[in-house]
Amino acid sequence: MKPKEDPKDLFDREEELQKLKNGINYPVSLLLGLRRSGKSSLVKVLMKEEDAIWIYLDLRKYETKTFITYKDVIIELEKALNRFPQRIKKLLEGIKGINVAGLEIKLNWGKQKVEISEIFDKLSEISEKEDKKVIIVFDESQELRKLKGYNLLNPLAYAYDNLKIRFLFTGSEIGMVYRFLKIKDPNSPLFGRAMTEITIHPFTKEKAIEFLKKGFEEVKINLDEKLLEDVYNNIGGIPGWLTYYGFNYIQEKDHEEALNKTIELAVSLIKKEFRNFLKGREEAKERYYTIMGVCKKGCRWSESKRAIEAKEGVRIDDKKLTELLQNLIDASFLIKENEIYRPADILIEKAF
């Protein structure tokens, strides 16, 4: 389930790709969608097609951490800058806290630490000198909400207002991306700034079946449409899981076996992601599990309240319950349709 990098391997994402291409003409773009919906593939294809100076920071490794530090961000930035050609690296010389020695860039995060705003200044100069866009990608940017001891929004707002740099934030926990950027908070440095927003949705039933057919045609396999419908009915329209089913079917040559293997892995990963979500929220752990259990087929606010109170034998504060539900929505485990809370995906339902 590695991200695709070749445009011909993208399926039915031409509209989103075009929106993304338009978006990088402006300071900030958001690319949002559930996990394994194809965000990273879109970014990789964009990086291949657009001649720009790309800085790609992969923040997925911080999913298991309760907080991250300035040092963590600087180390990721250092890795990204070291992918530059040597000629571009040389242009970063002269910034306090940056050492360009031989083939390697070193960023200082200690007492003589490098200032991110100064890096942004220099990158903007490089953009003008090279006559190319500089685009910084924060992949799974919701992890930046865990950053302690440093406000990244200040240099981002400075760059937005003054520099020729573009930023692309991707996120699977959609509400958590908004929490990090605080674009609706009057006290936030980014308050009121316009941003291009692209949302990737799972495939519809029709598109999921077409996606599977196309994939199987490439390996000369013809699968009955009823089986393909059964795949969609059991695992939904997220491209990553459909691809994994296809891989399993090619290995097993058996529909049930391939389907079971796909569901087993999906449930295992979703449970792991839920445990990551609970880090730092241990006090409410049982309440979150109770909510997911009662809402797995859809529930109302009042039903989740009754379920928690029945389990604990005490009243739960209404405001607190609403906060718990909103956290699950922001982390993309639940969605709210009218007055009904339900899992964001059929496989999340199966995990609970």
Side-chain angles (χ1 to χ4, degrees):
M1 293 189 291
K2 279 182 68 176
K4 307 287 188 288
E5 296 187 20
D6 194 323
K8 68 181 176 59
D9 291 330
L10 277 185
F11 177 82
D12 196 48
R13 296 299 192 202
E14 295 81 8
E15 185 182 340
E16 291 91 340
L17 184 60
Q18 190 54 54
K19 284 181 180 176
L20 210 46
K21 286 179 179 179
N22 295 337
I24 58 171
N25 291 313
Y26 300 95
V28 176
S29 299
L30 309 181
L31 179 61
L32 308 171
L34 296 176
R35 287 179 180 85
R36 292 165 283 270
S37 58
K39 298 182 301 299
S40 295
S41 294
L42 267 180
V43 172
K44 298 286 186 184
V45 168
L46 184 70
M47 289 172 70
K48 201 165 184 178
E49 290 198 340
E50 288 291 312
D51 185 23
I53 297 170
W54 289 93
I55 300 167
Y56 178 83
L57 285 76
D58 188 347
L59 302 168
R60 285 173 296 181
K61 69 171 74 170
Y62 300 112
E63 284 181 357
T64 59
K65 296 201 172 184
T66 51
F67 70 92
I68 60 176
T69 64
Y70 186 74
K71 174 186 173 183
D72 293 320
V73 175
I74 291 300
I75 287 172
E76 290 308 310
L77 195 50
E78 181 181 273
K79 284 182 199 168
L81 295 176
N82 272 306
R83 297 186 197 110
F84 279 1
Q86 195 60 21
R87 179 179 60 80
I88 303 285
K89 286 180 189 175
K90 283 285 181 186
L91 297 175
L92 290 165
E93 285 183 320
I95 301 176
K96 186 187 110 179
I98 291 189
N99 180 29
V100 184
L103 299 174
E104 196 172 23
I105 291 176
K106 285 286 185 187
L107 303 187
N108 196 329
W109 43 266
K111 284 185 180 178
Q112 298 297 312
K113 73 179 182 183
V114 64
E115 289 295 336
I116 288 179
S117 55
E118 290 185 25
I119 296 176
F120 288 171
D121 269 326
K122 181 59 77 170
L123 289 171
S124 186
E125 285 176 29
I126 291 170
S127 175
E128 292 199 50
K129 183 180 175 69
E130 298 291 312
D131 194 26
K132 283 185 179 181
K133 293 187 189 84
V134 168
I135 306 170
I136 302 177
V137 180
F138 293 94
D139 201 1
E140 297 299 358
S141 61
Q142 68 271 354
E143 300 306 321
L144 290 170
R145 77 191 189 281
K146 302 174 183 176
L147 181 58
K148 305 294 183 189
Y150 183 82
N151 189 350
L152 187 58
L153 299 185
N154 288 321
L156 288 173
Y158 166 72
Y160 187 108
D161 292 341
N162 302 290
L163 304 178
K164 292 192 172 181
I165 305 180
R166 307 289 182 253
F167 297 97
L168 173 55
F169 298 93
T170 83
S172 300
E173 298 178 14
I174 298 166
M176 297 299 181
V177 176
Y178 296 138
R179 284 197 195 186
F180 159 62
L181 293 170
K182 298 181 180 175
I183 46 183
K184 293 182 179 177
D185 180 352
N187 298 314
S188 167
L190 286 174
F191 177 68
R193 304 305 196 283
M195 299 183 184
T196 303
E197 191 171 315
I198 301 107
T199 302
I200 299 186
H201 298 286
F203 292 144
T204 62
K205 185 175 186 176
E206 180 184 70
K207 285 294 176 187
I209 290 171
E210 192 183 334
F211 175 76
L212 288 167
K213 276 184 181 175
K214 187 180 176 189
F216 283 126
E217 278 169 11
E218 288 175 7
V219 290
K220 307 288 190 294
I221 292 176
N222 184 23
L223 218 58
D224 186 274
E225 185 143 343
K226 284 187 178 177
L227 292 184
L228 299 181
E229 283 186 23
D230 192 47
V231 174
Y232 176 82
N233 291 338
N234 276 280
I235 66 175
I238 289 182
W241 295 130
L242 295 170
T243 301
Y244 189 62
Y245 166 82
F247 169 78
N248 283 330
Y249 185 86
I250 291 165
Q251 301 296 310
E252 305 293 337
K253 300 290 189 294
D254 182 89
H255 168 67
E256 289 297 332
E257 188 67 26
L259 197 55
N260 289 338
K261 271 195 168 184
T262 305
I263 293 169
E264 188 179 334
L265 177 73
V267 164
S268 173
L269 278 176
I270 290 164
K271 285 181 176 179
K272 180 183 172 187
E273 287 157 2
F274 194 72
R275 289 194 296 272
N276 290 337
F277 161 79
L278 291 173
K279 287 185 176 174
R281 299 183 172 96
E282 284 81 5
E283 284 185 12
K285 173 183 169 182
E286 292 306 319
R287 287 180 168 183
Y288 281 118
Y289 274 112
T290 299
I291 292 169
M292 291 305 297
V294 77
C295 291
K296 66 184 177 184
K297 295 287 186 186
C299 74
R300 294 181 178 276
W301 182 92
S302 56
E303 290 171 309
S304 59
K305 179 180 173 71
R306 281 199 299 272
I308 290 173
E309 290 180 345
K311 185 170 184 180
E312 296 182 0
V314 294
R315 287 187 180 278
I316 179 172
D317 179 68
D318 288 358
K319 188 178 174 184
K320 183 63 186 173
L321 174 61
T322 300
E323 182 187 317
L324 296 176
L325 286 162
Q326 190 59 49
N327 286 342
L328 289 165
I329 291 169
D330 287 351
S332 297
F333 287 106
L334 290 180
I335 55 174
K336 187 182 180 186
E337 296 173 335
N338 300 318
E339 296 304 312
I340 303 298
Y341 297 88
R342 65 176 75 256
D345 176 61
I346 190 171
L347 287 166
I348 295 176
E349 176 190 322
K350 289 181 187 293
F352 291 93

